Amino acid sequence: MGRGDLTNAEWDRLESFLPRGGVRGGRWSDHRRVINGGLYRVRTGVQWRDLPERFGPWETVYERHRRWSADGTGKMLLSRIQAAEDAAGQIDWEVSVDSTAVRAHQHAAGARKAAPASVVQKGAGRRNEPGRSSLAEVGRPAGGGGQIGECLGRSRGGFTTKVHLVADGRCRPIAFVLTPGHYGDGPQFERVLEQITVPRAGVGRPRTRPDHVLADKAYTSRKNRRYLRRRGIPHTIPERLDQQRHRRNRGSRGGRPTGFDSDRYKKRSTVERAINRLKCFRSGATRYEKSAYIYLATVTLAALMIWLRA
């Protein structure tokens, strides 16, 4: 086992959730070796072609990394691990929301502008055959195309991508979304909270509502506060000085001041530490992928390892 590879304990937690290997079309490379190859690349940031030979053909590692992003396998693995942690009472549901800008390498530009179909139709009739992997014919998800479609924003230093995330009280990313780097934080507040979906261990709907939400002044808009009140989610978000001044100028029509617990707000640093953990993975700290959905798979794999090793 190399440095950074899955340990036996981590592999035991993942193995039962992985899709079955293919039967038709030749031998199926071992899942553990392929995942270790993906981890090596995410941790070090090397080009796919430079993967060490012990991980097998680099094309196999890249293709499975891409396919598991397109068909949702990576997101499924993360949600299964989160469900196990939630069943054991190991998730602190006092969550924090924030974002981080990621510099995109110059090679991340140049993706095809045309958005291809979500699934390749070739061989669609054989998908349900016994022993055949459900991801055998996956192409890529709908969307993408162009600079905005691939979540690339312009800045003085070049292209950037922004990762908006929710972290639990133990500095682990629960959910995240990608946007171009010049997008604001506040308008993405509802979108990132809607991504929280932790399945129940038994019967029941997935958990989608945290116990408490912490966020900084970038999320202090009335729209975001109304959204939280509508869902019955307590929150601690400071109010900007211009909003306080505007409310006082309106007198009784300005409404009551928003509640703010400064001691509780100190716990918002958990999301900052979660971002630091994500950026310890070099392929997460710098975007090298042309397609947004492949970079999302990279962030998902990094988050999965944080959950396995936290």
Side-chain angles (χ1 to χ4, degrees):
M1 187 181 71
R3 186 172 71 90
D5 289 355
L6 290 171
T7 64
N8 292 334
E10 293 164 357
W11 172 247
D12 291 340
R13 297 184 65 184
L14 283 179
E15 185 177 13
S16 61
F17 304 139
L18 294 170
R20 290 186 302 166
V23 175
R24 303 179 60 168
R27 297 177 60 187
W28 184 267
S29 295
D30 179 62
H31 278 317
R32 185 171 184 176
R33 183 174 70 167
V34 173
I35 293 175
N36 284 335
L39 286 176
Y40 182 89
R41 191 262 172 182
V42 171
R43 180 171 57 86
T44 62
V46 301
Q47 294 187 10
W48 290 102
R49 294 175 180 269
D50 295 332
L51 282 176
E53 295 182 359
R54 64 187 179 93
F55 299 119
W58 70 267
E59 297 93 340
T60 301
V61 181
Y62 167 75
E63 187 63 18
R64 203 168 301 179
H65 179 81
R66 184 195 68 80
R67 288 186 175 186
W68 282 3
S69 176
D71 67 1
T73 300
K75 184 177 181 180
M76 178 272 295
L77 293 175
L78 180 60
S79 65
R80 293 290 182 87
I81 296 299
Q82 291 174 345
E85 291 289 305
D86 189 37
Q90 297 299 316
I91 296 182
D92 184 352
W93 282 101
E94 189 170 8
V95 304
S96 304
V97 182
D98 206 350
S99 70
T100 180
V102 176
R103 179 62 57 83
H105 194 271
Q106 59 181 353
H107 295 164
R112 295 180 180 178
K113 293 185 178 180
S118 60
V119 177
V120 179
Q121 296 299 321
K122 180 180 178 181
R126 303 195 304 269
R127 287 180 197 165
N128 296 326
E129 290 186 8
R132 186 174 181 84
S133 172
S134 61
L135 54 83
E137 303 295 342
V138 172
R140 56 170 287 176
Q147 176 181 325
I148 300 300
E150 299 297 353
C151 298
L152 290 174
R154 286 281 188 180
S155 69
R156 289 185 178 181
F159 286 121
T160 55
T161 296
K162 188 171 283 188
V163 181
H164 305 261
L165 72 156
V166 182
D168 77 334
R170 297 182 62 186
C171 309
R172 298 174 297 187
I174 297 179
F176 37 83
V177 295
L178 302 182
T179 64
H182 62 276
Y183 277 30
D185 293 351
Q188 307 302 321
F189 184 71
E190 295 184 24
R191 182 183 172 195
V192 69
L193 286 180
E194 293 291 340
Q195 295 296 315
I196 299 178
T197 306
V198 178
R200 306 285 185 176
V203 179
R205 296 180 179 178
R207 176 160 186 172
T208 60
R209 188 171 63 178
D211 293 335
H212 199 93
V213 171
L214 305 170
D216 60 18
K217 293 181 181 179
Y219 302 93
T220 187
S221 67
R222 293 182 178 180
K223 179 182 177 182
N224 291 338
R225 294 183 186 273
R226 284 196 300 266
Y227 168 77
L228 292 171
R229 287 195 296 267
R230 186 171 66 250
R231 295 191 59 188
I233 302 176
H235 56 277
T236 301
I237 303 176
E239 194 177 26
R240 294 197 306 267
L241 293 178
D242 61 330
Q243 291 178 325
Q244 297 176 11
R245 185 167 53 251
H246 180 66
R247 186 185 65 253
R248 288 194 297 266
N249 292 339
R250 288 174 57 89
S252 60
R253 295 178 300 169
R256 293 177 297 179
T258 59
F260 178 70
D261 187 346
S262 58
D263 290 333
R264 195 168 201 169
Y265 183 70
K266 294 177 182 177
K267 196 176 179 181
R268 197 194 66 84
S269 63
T270 55
V271 68
E272 304 289 353
R273 300 203 298 272
I275 291 172
N276 288 339
R277 288 183 176 183
L278 276 178
K279 289 197 170 183
C280 286
F281 297 86
R282 293 191 177 183
S283 291
T286 302
R287 174 178 169 177
Y288 299 100
E289 292 82 359
K290 295 180 183 294
S291 299
Y293 80 101
I294 300 180
Y295 178 66
L296 183 62
T298 299
V299 177
T300 302
L301 184 56
L304 178 63
M305 297 312 300
I306 291 175
W307 277 88
L308 287 175
R309 295 174 177 177

